[in-house]
Amino acid sequence: MAKRMWITLLCALTLCAVLAALSSCDSPADTPTSEPAAETTTATDPPHTTVITAPLIPPEPPVGTKVNVRYTVSNPDGAILSGKTEQTVQYGTRGTVGVTLEVKEGYRFLGWSDGLEETSRSGDCPTADTVYTALIEYDTLGLPVVSLTTETMRDVSSKTEYIRGTIQIDGCADQYLLPKTDMEIRGRGNSSWHFAKKSYRLRLSEKQNLLGLGKDAEKSWVLLANHADQSLLRNHTTMEFARKLEGIDFMPSSTSVNLYLNGEYRGVYLLCEQIEVDSDRINISENPESLQTGYLLEMTHYAQDPKFTVSGILYEVKNDLSDNDSMREEQIAYIRTVMQRCYSAVQRGDEALVRALVDVDSVVDTYIVEELFKNKDDGWDSFYMYYDAGKANAKLTFGPIWDFDLTGGNTDNGGELHEGLWAGVSECITDNFWYIELMREEWFRTLVRDRWNELKSEIDRIPGRIIAEADAHTDAYARNFEKWPIFGHWINQQPPIIMSFTTYEQHYRHYAGWMQQRITWLNGVFNDPAYLTHDPVRYQ
């Protein structure tokens, strides 16, 4: 027992000696060259004694401390987050339960805010209250994004009632980006309004030049669904070609866009200018209380008031007339008389008389477009003309052309064949008798032949431009048909060959190939000597 006490005492004396030796390290001779540890001296300390203080270390949270974890999505329109999005777990433990992200069509997942790339996650180990955000953006696939949001997220269900909302444009060059802007939207179209994928008319609260398409900023714009055209390119191709023709004074400019309505991807649409009276569009007089105003007319079997008939053909006045019933009736009677005079001159076929009343250059150029693309509806609907009574020596002018989704071989009953004259010879309810009457005259056929040859180099570029546009944005165009799986389904007058295609590439390559065959065949007809001397019905 005594021995153990001596051993303990010896150990204590040894420890004191060691401490004393250490305390002597503050003498000048032994001062280290590096920065000394933090030290504190008190009045009660023995001389030359230093107390070494350890660095501050945050204390561990008490056992059982909880932290809050929340999972969110940067764009809730683009993804659905399922699982427990708000959790409370114990500090420092991998206690979070799983959450899963489902990315919606038309969007893409960039990763989580902490760098994790998997759409599902669990077992996170937070050391403080934490928010993990799934980063979602539009999957543009190379096309601009037009995002429309309606008030109270209402769908667009009327062609006549505008509903308020906003428009925003992203995914384009910086100069064309459009922040949220107030607008109104309604449906548009006649037979096409009954399709699942619908077209829309936009009316912005302030003038904007959307994606730089117009000559200047405007309020009225159109989004075409092109649901009956599974190349999605027929309207755009036709309008872009017609824009190069000097005889057509105004043609709407257009471009393909991804449309999102109330956050939902709706497919690829054609954004284009509205056909309307405006100084930068159809530039005619606007004097609605006078007979000497401009008249924008549409030849259509769907005509609504104000409308009139000439030789059994229905026309609708598309611009504003007088609010006074009596004056409006006078205006309709006036433009009916003008149209009857012009049509009678065309029926007579006298070139001098026709030229005195009608802008022949516009007739020739619009005819070439209608015949080249073989438009079966050129006398049924969407055929535009205008007359400016407020201008001296006014003439009836044809154009702009519109509604070419059922062209380029995309319709049955002869429209699928690349051979055969159509716009100038066929005589059924859907045909255009202005062209039919004029094509009976050799002087008019000569004008068509000469203008065709003048435009031939531009016409020859059409098939290549179809391929180039489709190849450049194949992924975006093809995705439209994931949203709308209609390959092989009859939508509106599609011939069997169109319905046999199962891929987007088959559709656009068929369209380009059909146009190439059509160009070759028409070139042979227009340059056949017999074309000038014989009834063109022989080429039907």
Side-chain angles (χ1 to χ4, degrees):
M1 180 81 173
K3 183 177 180 180
R4 288 180 182 175
M5 290 177 62
W6 280 108
I7 291 174
T8 300
L9 179 60
L10 181 60
C11 289
L13 291 171
T14 303
L15 179 59
C16 289
V18 171
L19 291 174
L22 289 172
S23 68
S24 66
C25 292
D26 63 340
S27 62
D30 296 325
T31 301
T33 57
S34 60
E35 192 72 16
E39 57 184 41
T40 304
T41 303
T42 67
T44 58
D45 288 335
H48 308 293
T49 300
T50 301
V51 178
I52 301 175
T53 304
L56 293 176
I57 299 175
E60 288 287 327
V63 176
T65 297
K66 303 292 186 180
V67 294
N68 298 313
V69 181
R70 187 158 60 94
Y71 298 92
T72 66
V73 179
S74 63
N75 184 348
D77 290 333
I80 299 173
L81 193 58
S82 59
K84 194 172 182 181
T85 58
E86 294 188 7
Q87 305 180 31
T88 300
V89 298
Q90 188 169 330
Y91 171 91
T93 64
R94 296 188 178 277
T96 60
V97 296
V99 294
T100 300
L101 187 73
E102 179 186 349
V103 182
K104 294 182 183 179
E105 191 173 34
Y107 294 86
R108 64 173 182 160
F109 172 55
L110 303 179
W112 294 87
S113 53
D114 64 342
L116 195 68
E117 296 181 351
E118 291 78 12
T119 54
S120 297
R121 64 185 300 159
S122 62
D124 291 314
C125 184
T127 58
D129 290 350
T130 305
V131 176
Y132 298 103
T133 302
L135 305 177
I136 303 293
E137 71 174 12
Y138 295 118
D139 192 7
T140 68
L141 297 180
L143 290 181
V145 168
V146 174
S147 177
L148 307 177
T149 304
T150 64
E151 60 178 1
T152 68
M153 306 296 282
R154 293 168 56 194
D155 199 6
V156 182
S157 57
S158 172
K159 291 199 308 175
T160 57
E161 176 195 358
Y162 277 99
I163 58 176
R164 290 178 294 182
T166 61
I167 178 173
Q168 182 172 333
I169 296 182
D170 296 290
C172 56
D174 289 348
Q175 66 265 36
Y176 302 132
L177 294 172
L178 181 70
K180 279 190 177 181
T181 300
D182 289 340
M183 61 96 193
E184 294 179 312
I185 181 173
R186 65 169 174 83
R188 68 165 309 281
N190 291 311
S191 60
S192 63
W193 177 244
H194 302 288
F195 298 161
K197 183 186 179 190
K198 301 184 184 303
S199 298
Y200 303 107
R201 170 85 178 268
L202 306 179
R203 188 166 64 191
L204 279 58
S205 60
E206 298 179 356
K207 291 185 176 183
Q208 302 284 346
N209 191 0
L210 301 185
L211 293 172
L213 291 176
K215 293 180 180 178
D216 203 350
E218 301 291 349
K219 288 186 177 182
S220 295
W221 299 84
V222 172
L223 284 164
L224 296 179
N226 289 326
H227 196 53
D229 170 22
Q230 292 162 40
S231 77
L232 297 174
L233 295 175
R234 285 177 169 84
N235 271 315
H236 177 67
T237 301
T238 308
M239 288 193 285
E240 286 302 295
F241 170 70
R243 279 167 48 81
K244 302 178 187 299
L245 309 186
E246 298 87 349
I248 304 176
D249 187 56
F250 165 73
M251 268 305 304
S253 182
S254 64
T255 192
S256 294
V257 298
N258 295 302
L259 178 64
Y260 293 74
L261 180 58
N262 293 326
E264 178 188 357
Y265 171 72
R266 290 296 184 95
V268 173
Y269 276 67
L270 192 66
L271 174 67
C272 48
E273 297 178 89
Q274 168 70 19
I275 294 178
E276 63 179 353
V277 175
D278 183 273
S279 59
D280 291 315
R281 290 179 175 174
I282 298 177
N283 188 14
I284 56 178
S285 303
E286 295 182 83
N287 303 306
E289 299 305 321
S290 170
L291 293 179
Q292 278 66 52
T293 187
Y295 297 87
L296 173 59
L297 309 173
E298 179 185 6
M299 184 166 64
T300 172
H301 281 68
Y302 305 105
Q304 302 292 317
D305 289 330
K307 63 183 178 182
F308 61 92
T309 301
V310 171
S311 298
I313 302 172
L314 268 172
Y315 298 87
E316 179 179 336
V317 181
K318 303 297 289 186
N319 58 307
D320 292 335
L321 297 180
S322 176
D323 292 331
N324 180 279
D325 291 345
S326 177
M327 173 56 74
R328 187 166 60 253
E329 289 177 6
E330 287 186 47
Q331 291 171 323
I332 294 171
Y334 171 81
I335 190 60
R336 181 193 295 116
T337 300
V338 170
M339 293 293 286
Q340 185 64 70
R341 187 186 309 125
C342 293
Y343 189 63
S344 296
V346 165
Q347 288 179 306
R348 288 177 59 183
D350 180 86
E351 181 178 3
L353 182 58
V354 171
R355 286 187 177 278
L357 299 174
V358 180
D359 184 325
V360 172
D361 288 344
S362 71
V363 181
V364 171
D365 277 3
T366 56
Y367 169 75
I368 286 176
V369 176
E370 300 282 356
E371 192 67 84
L372 171 59
F373 291 90
K374 204 172 187 180
N375 183 16
K376 279 184 62 177
D377 285 346
D378 67 336
W380 178 259
D381 185 33
S382 301
F383 189 83
Y384 287 91
M385 317 158 88
Y386 55 91
Y387 183 82
D388 192 351
K391 183 184 296 184
N393 303 316
K395 295 182 180 182
L396 179 65
T397 303
F398 284 30
I401 62 97
W402 186 255
D403 194 10
F404 272 65
D405 56 337
L406 299 180
T407 65
N410 191 38
T411 185
D412 54 14
N413 295 322
E416 74 275 24
L417 305 175
H418 69 270
E419 298 178 339
L421 291 183
W422 189 275
V425 298
S426 183
E427 295 190 22
C428 66
I429 192 172
T430 65
D431 296 323
N432 191 317
F433 287 88
W434 293 85
Y435 293 140
I436 291 169
E437 295 289 353
L438 286 169
M439 281 293 285
R440 294 186 175 123
E441 306 301 327
E442 183 177 342
W443 66 266
F444 185 78
R445 296 199 300 275
T446 301
L447 291 175
V448 169
R449 179 202 61 189
D450 293 347
R451 182 62 167 152
W452 171 272
N453 290 330
E454 182 182 349
L455 295 171
K456 183 60 166 50
S457 61
E458 189 62 44
I459 292 170
D460 285 340
R461 295 187 180 98
I462 292 173
R465 285 175 172 155
I466 294 170
I467 296 294
E469 171 61 20
D471 283 348
H473 302 111
T474 294
D475 291 343
Y477 288 124
R479 184 176 63 185
N480 176 86
F481 300 101
E482 296 173 12
K483 174 67 177 178
W484 307 102
I486 58 174
F487 290 156
H489 295 270
W490 190 90
I491 304 299
N492 187 15
Q493 303 182 50
Q494 280 71 47
I497 189 170
I498 294 293
M499 294 181 62
S500 72
F501 298 145
T502 59
T503 68
Y504 175 67
E505 183 176 5
Q506 288 176 306
H507 278 283
Y508 76 78
R509 290 195 179 278
H510 172 75
Y511 176 36
W514 190 96
M515 288 304 304
Q516 183 60 68
Q517 292 177 304
R518 180 71 172 164
I519 291 166
T520 300
W521 186 85
L522 283 174
N523 192 60
V525 169
F526 291 147
N527 288 286
D528 181 357
Y531 165 72
L532 297 183
T533 57
H534 291 72
D535 189 332
V537 171
R538 68 180 292 172
Y539 300 104
Q540 188 173 9

